[in-house]
Amino acid sequence: MTKLEYLKESPSQTAGPYVHIGCTPNFVGNTGIYKEDLGVRMVNAKTKGQRITVKGRVFDGTGAPMKDAMLEIWQADGEGLFNSPSETRGKADPYFTGWGRQPVDMETAEFCFETVKPGAVPFPDGRSQAPHINFWIVARGINIGLNTRMYFPEEEEANAADPVLGRIEHRMRVPTLIAKQSGDKYTFDIHIQGDNETVFFDI
Amino acid sequence: MRQGSEMSKPTTNAGPFFPRDRNWHPKAMSPGYKTSVLRSPQKALLSFGNTISETTGPVFGHNIIGELDHDLIQNYAKPGESAQGERIIVHGHVLDEEARAVPNALVEVWQANAGGRYRHKKDGYLAPLDPNFGGCGRVITDENGYYAFRTIRPGPYPWPNGVNDWRPSHIHFSLFGSGFAQRLITQMYFEGDPHIPLCPIVRTINDPAAIEMLVAKLDMNHTVPMDARAYRFDIVLRGRRSTMFENRMEGN
């Protein structure tokens, strides 16, 4: 008999309140170890595509903004290619990392990413996914990182055809994944729990 | 576990990840850990198969790593000095669920000092800071998925959860594989620490076998005589399917 033997994934634990010490040490004044916090700069002068700012806050179940969360984003470049060895469709813009990491401000609770608007990427069955940014949120009290996506309000047609948004049974929850736009600035507030709870993914 | 040469063969394909066993991981809502009560989603997670948005992820070059990034005894110390406490080496392999090495994985760690005090403005514990200890480090795994740090063993510390809760000695670990859906933050504990079974954060994990995976073992074979003891801590990230039989729309 063939016996199936796989290792189990290492179980997750909370990042805790002092996640900054390891992930963004310069942010908490622990300077001189790393030159710069990883993921703080996603673009440089040569990056192609439309520059955008993505900001927002993360709220707990009482509606209080969380002041110790850390967020990471992962997205395609302006042409819809990922800067990753697992990208098989072509070569992404070498001047765009695609990955960003930002702690929320310890006073205002706001996070802010300077990035570019991502191009559309394909779904495995060949349909197109609307432009989106993948979010991963960790904090004290979060036992396993929360995955979600931010979509763009001006992409109404693409959003309506998006295979992931299409899977959301309760249609009134779809807007929790769509940012609010003001010029090149997008606000994406995340509600961990409650009436306006953001849709989170098991991916 | 895979046998023979396949055991050390790194993962190279770009297929979807094995599903996460969310009964093995801690549940979002674990009331014994009080902060999780208001920071856990109440609605079910939305499941869908991985797309290229989840199977890709950032991979970091060795050029980001500084000379002392893996040595927490030295990387914050004044010249000629070093951090105080029990000198240890923490080392192991990053593997996937098929026991294949995960090369080029970024491993970041952070921890308290020997007295249980964090170098963070929000930590008000009365135990003093060590002027020669910062508490952060990072390495990228080699072609065999191997990593190693040198540090001091962190002390336990009290935290405001129950009236007398203490964290076990632990080191926080953050891991990147090759796809964003592998992203993982966890904590490493030390073999034999009596605080492990008492800790509400450890107990967010229900399966004792899962807790055991987070307990590093004393490794006398890699202990450096008259210098530093060693602890062995292997980490497992999600495995990947082959893309060979993925669904395609007819005509594609």
Side-chain angles (χ1 to χ4, degrees):
Chain A
M1 283 290 284
T2 302
K3 201 170 159 203
L4 272 183
E5 287 186 79
Y6 291 101
L7 300 180
K8 295 295 286 186
E9 187 186 6
S10 294
S12 175
Q13 292 269 262
T14 180
Y18 309 127
V19 60
H20 312 105
I21 293 174
C23 293
T24 59
N26 292 293
F27 173 76
V28 281
N30 297 349
T31 54
I33 306 174
Y34 307 151
K35 215 182 300 170
E36 179 178 276
D37 290 337
L38 212 54
V40 290
R41 275 187 303 146
M42 300 178 70
V43 296
N44 64 27
K46 294 180 179 166
T47 308
K48 288 182 238 153
Q50 179 196 341
R51 302 300 170 98
I52 62 168
T53 301
V54 176
K55 60 187 182 64
R57 291 185 293 173
V58 185
F59 297 92
D60 73 13
T62 67
M66 291 163 52
K67 294 180 173 175
D68 52 11
M70 185 182 83
L71 297 92
E72 291 183 1
I73 62 173
W74 173 243
Q75 62 165 96
D77 67 11
E79 304 291 321
L81 292 168
F82 290 96
N83 190 349
S84 167
S86 305
E87 171 61 84
T88 54
R89 298 165 300 147
K91 190 159 165 39
D93 180 355
Y95 302 110
F96 180 61
T97 65
W99 175 76
R101 170 190 276 170
Q102 292 287 346
V104 302
D105 185 283
M106 282 192 262
E107 303 299 325
T108 66
E110 195 167 74
F111 65 81
C112 183
F113 291 95
E114 301 292 341
T115 182
V116 297
K117 185 173 174 182
V121 301
F123 201 62
D125 66 7
R127 284 182 289 169
S128 185
Q129 304 189 60
H132 63 271
I133 297 176
N134 302 290
F135 273 71
W136 189 68
I137 304 135
V138 295
R140 173 173 69 99
I142 295 177
N143 290 322
I144 180 164
L146 295 169
N147 292 98
T148 189
R149 285 182 176 189
M150 181 198 114
Y151 287 81
F152 294 83
E154 71 277 20
E155 298 284 345
E156 271 179 57
E157 209 175 307
N159 290 345
D162 183 80
V164 171
L165 292 177
R167 287 192 65 115
I168 300 174
E169 179 189 348
H170 300 96
R171 302 307 295 165
M172 72 287 270
R173 300 193 67 205
V174 173
T176 68
L177 301 188
I178 299 176
K180 296 189 170 45
Q181 184 186 15
S182 166
D184 291 335
K185 292 187 167 56
Y186 294 84
T187 301
F188 183 53
D189 285 333
I190 294 160
H191 297 265
I192 302 286
Q193 186 190 85
D195 290 341
N196 200 26
E197 190 172 300
T198 300
V199 176
F200 296 106
F201 304 147
D202 181 13
I203 48 174
Chain B
M1 196 174 291
R2 297 297 186 92
Q3 298 300 311
S5 62
E6 247 195 309
M7 252 189 83
S8 58
K9 196 171 131 198
T11 44
T12 49
N13 75 61
F17 292 102
F18 297 174
R20 248 185 185 145
D21 180 350
R22 288 183 180 267
N23 291 316
W24 177 259
H25 285 284
K27 292 282 166 53
M29 165 72 95
S30 316
Y33 174 25
K34 294 180 181 179
T35 313
S36 77
V37 173
L38 287 168
R39 293 184 169 196
S40 46
Q42 290 169 322
K43 296 177 175 67
L45 302 180
L46 177 74
S47 302
F48 57 93
N50 287 169
T51 77
I52 193 158
S53 216
E54 289 77 37
T55 56
T56 55
V59 175
F60 301 90
H62 291 264
N63 60 327
I64 69 163
I65 303 292
E67 208 180 326
L68 291 176
D69 284 6
H70 70 296
D71 187 352
L72 287 75
I73 292 178
Q74 293 296 341
N75 70 12
Y76 198 78
K78 296 178 196 72
E81 299 185 19
S82 61
Q84 290 196 23
E86 297 177 28
R87 298 160 65 91
I88 58 170
I89 291 159
V90 175
H91 74 136
H93 285 87
V94 180
L95 306 168
D96 73 5
E97 289 168 287
E98 291 186 286
R100 296 181 187 216
V102 182
N104 304 313
L106 175 65
V107 183
E108 297 167 289
V109 296
W110 65 100
Q111 62 169 89
N113 69 21
R117 175 74 183 271
Y118 281 98
R119 187 170 288 283
H120 191 287
K121 55 186 77 166
K122 300 282 184 191
D123 186 0
Y125 184 32
L126 48 78
L129 286 168
D130 175 349
N132 290 310
F133 188 71
C136 82
R138 62 186 177 189
V139 296
I140 291 178
T141 58
D142 70 12
E143 67 276 14
N144 300 313
Y146 182 75
Y147 77 91
F149 291 98
R150 196 167 74 134
T151 186
I152 52 95
R153 179 171 164 144
Y157 63 86
W159 59 300
N161 188 66
V163 290
N164 191 22
D165 279 336
W166 293 71
R167 295 303 324 281
S169 294
H170 65 277
I171 299 176
H172 295 265
F173 273 71
S174 167
L175 289 125
F176 289 81
S178 54
F180 201 53
Q182 281 176 308
R183 199 70 186 80
L184 182 72
I185 281 182
T186 188
Q187 299 181 27
M188 183 201 102
Y189 304 102
F190 291 84
E191 184 175 20
D193 186 339
H195 280 294
I196 294 171
L198 303 179
C199 176
I201 289 179
V202 173
R203 291 165 70 161
T204 61
I205 301 170
N206 287 321
D207 191 326
I211 293 173
E212 190 58 25
M213 268 190 91
L214 299 184
V215 180
K217 305 297 181 293
L218 178 66
D219 181 357
M220 288 305 289
N221 287 339
H222 281 84
T223 286
V224 181
M226 307 305 285
D227 183 345
R229 291 184 304 153
Y231 279 88
R232 181 96 184 184
F233 184 55
D234 291 335
I235 301 155
V236 179
L237 300 179
R238 297 169 70 177
R240 277 186 178 220
R241 291 208 311 270
S242 147
T243 49
M244 225 178 289
F245 300 108
E246 289 305 302
N247 295 326
R248 292 278 182 270
M249 270 182 155
E250 295 301 319
N252 273 15

